[in-house]
């Protein structure tokens, strides 16, 4: 790995990467605490968050799509979904046109728990984001998407 210099693109990349790692660690810890609050494993909680977020975007996930977000074997994913369904946190729904297509939906109970738990942190983050111009935030979203895409090409 190359040594970062005091300035330039390489140094900016390192500083940005460090900031993203720190934010990611904070997000992971918050997710772990949410899992403990609702009495599930942290992987199960992150699956719930992925399912609920996809629903909010109007793009419910299939088990396979969830598996691309949270890499688990198909057997482990089935066990995870069974646990979440038994706990009343998730339902699996078959499509009307194609009965083979299954989508995942979070229960109103888990959405209420998540809103109550994450609401204060989301409010603080919204207050910070509101101080920045929408155009700058859109540029940052694009930057993050491009950086993520660049990571996909690494083997």
């Amino acid at each position: 790995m190359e040594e970062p210099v005091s300035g330039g693109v390489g140094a900016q990349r390192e500083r940005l990467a460090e900031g993203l790692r720190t934010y990611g660690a904070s997000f992971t810890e918050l997710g772990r605490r949410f899992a403990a609050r609702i009495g599930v494993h942290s992987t199960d909680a992150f699956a719930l968050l992925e399912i609920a977020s996809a629903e909010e975007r109007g793009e419910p996930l299939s088990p396979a799509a969830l598996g691309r977000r949270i890499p688990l074997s198909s057997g482990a994913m089935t066990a995870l979904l069974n646990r979440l369904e038994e706990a009343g946190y998730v339902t699996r729904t078959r499509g009307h046109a194609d009965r083979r297509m299954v989508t995942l939906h979070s229960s109103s109970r888990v959405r209420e728990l998540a809103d109550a738990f994450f609401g204060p942190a989301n409010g603080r983050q919204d207050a910070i984001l509101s101080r920045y111009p929408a155009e700058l935030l859109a540029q940052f979203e694009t930057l993050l998407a491009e950086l993520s895409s660049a990571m996909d090409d690494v083997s």
Side-chain angles (χ1 to χ4, degrees):
M1 197 157 110
E2 64 186 75
E3 284 289 319
V5 293
S6 62
V9 172
Q12 284 181 312
R13 175 181 35 80
E14 288 297 322
R15 289 188 302 270
L16 183 58
E18 178 58 24
L20 291 170
R21 282 191 298 270
T22 300
Y23 181 82
S26 296
F27 182 82
T28 299
E29 174 57 19
L30 194 61
R32 188 198 62 72
R33 290 193 321 237
F34 176 65
R37 170 81 51 91
I38 67 171
V40 300
H41 187 274
S42 59
T43 302
D44 295 13
F46 283 110
L48 283 170
L49 295 174
E50 289 291 339
I51 292 166
S53 293
E55 281 184 293
E56 284 181 20
R57 292 188 308 271
E59 304 167 354
L61 294 175
S62 67
L66 179 60
R68 288 188 292 277
R69 304 283 304 183
I70 299 176
L72 295 172
S73 69
S74 62
M77 181 60 69
T78 298
L80 179 149
L81 291 173
N82 287 343
R83 285 191 305 272
L84 294 178
E85 200 167 37
E86 288 171 17
Y89 292 141
V90 167
T91 57
R92 292 178 249 205
T93 305
R94 295 203 177 275
H96 296 293
D98 183 352
R99 300 286 298 153
R100 294 171 296 172
M101 184 63 171
V102 174
T103 55
L104 305 170
H105 302 276
S106 59
S107 69
S108 59
R109 179 174 169 232
V110 79
R111 287 190 303 273
E112 289 169 8
L113 291 168
D115 288 346
F117 184 85
F118 290 102
N122 289 343
R124 289 189 299 273
Q125 290 182 54
D126 289 352
I128 292 167
L129 291 171
S130 71
R131 298 190 318 237
Y132 293 87
E135 299 80 24
L136 178 62
L137 296 176
Q139 288 177 328
F140 190 63
E141 286 179 46
T142 300
L143 172 64
L144 289 175
E146 289 175 359
L147 289 173
S148 293
S149 178
M151 298 294 280
D152 291 342
D153 294 337
V154 176
S155 52

